[in-house]
């Protein structure tokens, strides 16, 4: 879709586009299904907590550190501007920055990922930031 409707958000050449695809594949096959499911889902009430939350948190941190080394040479996956993979992965790690996640699961993003989440949010349009007020409000209820 990005290549058709917003080509610059997909990558300007085959190397950048392949990197974007790789990051999206990593998100789908490694991060969201294995790690996000053990950190965000239980706090949000969409899944059971893992048998060993501490081990799950450690595995998530390790996976995100590998991701950062591979994909975050610049501010974002595509360099210094958001690309389509940033919208997928950036929003997920932005959710993990919410205080309810740490309060309820003891999970905390690695420093580079925490900065990435902040940079992601700051780069969003005002309309997109407003859209995230709903999810933030939902997670605020998990602080009680």
């Amino acid at each position: 879709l990005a290549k058709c409707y917003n080509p610059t958000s997909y990558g300007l050449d085959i190397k950048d586009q392949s990197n974007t695809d790789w990051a999206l594949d990593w998100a789908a096959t490694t991060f969201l299904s294995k790690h996000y499911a053990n950190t965000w889902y239980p706090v949000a009430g969409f899944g059971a907590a893992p048998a060993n939350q501490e081990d799950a948190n450690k595995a998530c941190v390790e996976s995100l550190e590998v991701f950062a080394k591979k994909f975050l040479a610049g501010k974002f996956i595509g360099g210094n501007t958001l690309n389509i993979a940033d919208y997928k992965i950036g929003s997920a790690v932005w959710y993990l920055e919410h205080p309810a996640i740490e309060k309820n699961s003891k999970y905390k993003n690695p420093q580079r990922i925490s900065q990435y989440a902040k940079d992601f949010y700051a780069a969003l349009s005002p309309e997109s930031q407003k859209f995230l007020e709903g999810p933030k409000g939902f997670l605020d209820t998990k602080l009680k």
Side-chain angles (χ1 to χ4, degrees):
L1 289 174
K3 193 169 184 176
C4 182
Y5 295 103
N6 189 355
T8 59
S9 73
Y10 185 53
L12 298 177
D13 59 32
I14 193 67
K15 182 180 176 193
D16 290 343
Q17 293 167 6
S18 297
N19 199 54
T20 298
D21 288 341
W22 190 358
L24 288 168
D25 285 346
W26 172 85
T29 61
T30 301
F31 178 60
L32 296 172
S33 62
K34 295 178 184 173
H35 304 298
Y36 197 71
N38 287 327
T39 51
W40 186 83
Y41 276 50
V43 174
F46 300 138
N52 186 321
Q53 188 68 58
E54 186 176 335
D55 286 349
N57 292 350
K58 182 179 176 188
C60 186
V61 164
E62 290 170 356
S63 184
L64 284 168
E65 287 173 340
V66 170
F67 164 80
K69 285 178 186 167
K70 170 61 186 150
F71 295 107
L72 296 179
K75 196 174 197 178
F76 302 110
I77 295 166
N80 289 317
T81 57
L82 293 172
N83 82 7
I84 194 69
D86 291 305
Y87 288 99
K88 180 72 169 179
I89 299 163
S91 61
V93 297
W94 174 84
Y95 275 108
L96 291 177
E97 281 292 300
H98 193 282
I101 304 301
E102 186 174 3
K103 177 184 182 235
N104 290 292
S105 71
K106 309 296 184 246
Y107 173 80
K108 188 168 175 69
N109 276 331
Q111 184 178 358
R112 177 62 183 99
I113 297 300
S114 182
Q115 185 60 53
Y116 172 60
K118 290 176 178 95
D119 291 341
F120 165 76
Y121 183 81
L124 293 175
S125 68
E127 295 83 9
S128 294
Q129 288 179 356
K130 185 169 177 58
F131 177 80
L132 290 177
E133 289 175 10
K136 181 193 174 301
F138 168 72
L139 284 177
D140 285 348
T141 68
K142 306 302 179 181
L143 287 168
K144 299 173 182 172

